[in-house]
Amino acid sequence: MRVLVTGATGFVGSHVARLLVRHGHEVHALVREGEAEDRLAEERLGVEGEKVARIRGDLLEPASWSAAIDAGGFDACVHLGWYANPKDYLSARVNVDLLNASAALGARLVDAGCRRIVMAGTCFEYDVSFGFLSESTPAGPRHLYSACKRSLFEIMSHLVSSTPTSFAWTRLFFLYGPHESRGRLVPAVVDALLAGEQARVTTGEQFRDFMHVADAAAAIVHVLEHDELVGPVNIASGRPVRVREVVETIAGILDAKDRVAWGAVQARPNDPGFVCADVSKLAASGFRAQHDLESGLRDTIAWSKAQRASALRATQE
Ligand SMILES: NC(=O)c1ccc[n+]([C@@H]2O[C@H](COP(=O)([O-])OP(=O)(O)OC[C@H]3O[C@@H](n4cnc5c(N)ncnc54)[C@H](OP(=O)(O)O)[C@@H]3O)[C@@H](O)[C@H]2O)c1
């Protein structure tokens, strides 16, 4: 397929774009001007980067991409581009702009005859008080971010009805792995312990559903390639683990259990105790993840070590 990918320079999108190339698809990435393009080619996409065509544009400026979509003849689109800075993404006003831009992108693709559209939502669209969250769990977004994602899902579902375009909405839960943003749990703990410092964490009582980003990317590509999967699809492991277990596993692998400062960080007020997925829909379609928590964290730690080694080499040259 000729596939348009947004967010291909990102944590999830770079894994998705690489996999699409490996699966023999023709990948066209919408990328903003600037250093992201270099990252796309070199750091994140590796050898597959050379096979990714670039469309220069900004989601927030439809004039920069509309003509490319009209003329592009895309069979499919994976739309992952969004603002995801851990510092403020839950409340940032740009969520509203991205909702508008994404709906405009979806409408344009439908009008242009794109047959398959896959977009990314979040577990926080759900009312998380319901226990295991299935695709039919009632909505209950608590933040501007998740409200905008939920709205985009609703808009897209209406837009594609009575058209030949099939649409799937992948709801991602908690991902970790190479290239995750530094401020998040797994890289923060791994970086601190690799640097010989203390890892300052909460007591880690919350249950979460963690998945290695490579598995999440494989699941998104799997959804793209299975037209029968329409509507919302949870992308997660289906296995609840305490945050404490994640930290303990990392510390165990690095032989640094004595350097975890439990309770040094306060849990966020109103942080839900249990956010885990029912993954029956994804599993019934034949998808199987490659990593369990231990192997996924080992892979992530190995990547972080390699990054540190190459950064050290760069300073010595
Ligand atoms: N990571 C998770 O655990 C998680 C969980 C739930 C849902 N999601 C969803 O998954 C998707 C990908 O998230 P991520 O973690 O990979 O985020 P990320 O690493 O921050 O990547 C975001 C991507 O979106 C692009 N982007 C942002 N604003 C743009 C704009 N105005 N125009 C064009 N491109 C723009 C970025 O491009 P630049 O490189 O130019 O900045 C980057 O490629 C998002 O939709 C997010 O909501 C992620």
Side-chain angles (χ1 to χ4, degrees):
M1 288 189 288
R2 193 172 160 86
V3 188
L4 175 71
V5 179
T6 74
T9 51
F11 171 49
V12 181
S14 54
H15 290 269
V16 167
R18 218 169 37 227
L19 202 54
L20 287 169
V21 169
R22 286 186 199 155
H23 283 209
H25 299 295
E26 188 184 313
V27 180
H28 297 252
L30 178 75
V31 288
R32 294 193 272 194
E33 298 274 350
E35 63 166 290
E37 247 210 300
D38 303 333
R39 273 193 284 138
L40 176 74
E42 290 164 24
E43 186 193 334
R44 298 213 165 176
L45 285 177
V47 289
E48 282 86 3
E50 285 168 23
K51 294 192 177 153
V52 173
R54 321 287 155 80
I55 299 168
R56 284 173 185 273
D58 188 318
L59 280 167
L60 299 176
E61 292 164 18
S64 66
W65 46 259
S66 339
I69 286 180
D70 295 346
F74 296 112
D75 303 303
C77 171
V78 182
H79 173 46
L80 300 167
W82 203 273
Y83 179 75
N85 187 327
K87 278 189 193 144
D88 65 346
Y89 77 106
L90 292 175
S91 58
R93 288 291 293 273
V94 72
N95 282 298
V96 179
D97 304 326
L98 284 162
L99 164 61
N100 289 329
S102 301
L105 174 75
R108 200 91 187 195
L109 286 162
V110 171
D111 290 347
C114 179
R115 294 197 313 269
R116 180 77 172 146
I117 299 178
V118 175
M119 293 189 174
T122 160
C123 53
F124 287 113
E125 293 169 55
Y126 294 119
D127 178 341
V128 296
S129 68
F130 274 78
F132 280 94
L133 305 166
S134 81
E135 289 81 356
S136 58
T137 298
R142 300 201 207 181
H143 323 101
L144 185 59
Y145 165 69
S146 40
C148 288
K149 288 284 190 177
R150 187 75 192 196
S151 303
L152 180 59
F153 162 65
E154 305 279 354
I155 291 167
M156 284 304 301
S157 303
H158 286 287
L159 262 176
V160 298
S161 67
S162 314
T163 76
T165 303
S166 80
F167 168 63
W169 179 256
T170 54
R171 291 207 175 110
L172 312 181
F173 280 60
F174 294 83
L175 310 182
Y176 66 91
H179 297 294
E180 185 176 15
S181 184
R182 279 245 149 85
R184 293 194 180 267
L185 174 75
V186 170
V189 172
V190 170
D191 285 353
L193 296 182
L194 282 178
E197 296 163 5
Q198 278 205 329
R200 296 166 55 78
V201 292
T202 67
T203 52
E205 298 306 319
Q206 320 90 303
F207 283 96
R208 296 289 182 263
D209 188 320
F210 286 94
M211 187 181 228
H212 190 286
V213 66
D215 282 329
I220 291 169
V221 172
H222 171 90
V223 169
L224 182 79
E225 293 173 341
H226 287 75
D227 281 6
E228 70 279 12
L229 279 170
V230 290
V233 185
N234 285 343
I235 304 291
S237 71
R239 282 185 298 280
V241 290
R242 281 194 198 274
V243 167
R244 190 176 184 94
E245 186 182 333
V246 174
V247 177
E248 275 173 348
T249 306
I250 296 169
I253 293 168
L254 291 174
D255 198 15
K257 284 194 173 174
D258 55 328
R259 281 193 283 117
V260 179
W262 297 107
V265 174
Q266 288 292 308
R268 269 181 292 177
N270 304 322
D271 200 20
F274 188 92
V275 185
C276 297
D278 174 335
V279 290
S280 315
K281 185 171 179 181
L282 182 64
S285 73
F287 179 78
R288 298 287 175 268
Q290 298 298 308
H291 293 283
D292 60 16
L293 185 68
E294 166 102 20
S295 73
L297 289 173
R298 281 190 184 280
D299 173 76
T300 307
I301 290 168
W303 177 83
S304 298
K305 282 182 173 170
Q307 289 288 107
R308 286 175 66 83
S310 87
L312 188 66
R313 272 198 306 278
T315 58
Q316 288 166 346
E317 278 165 14

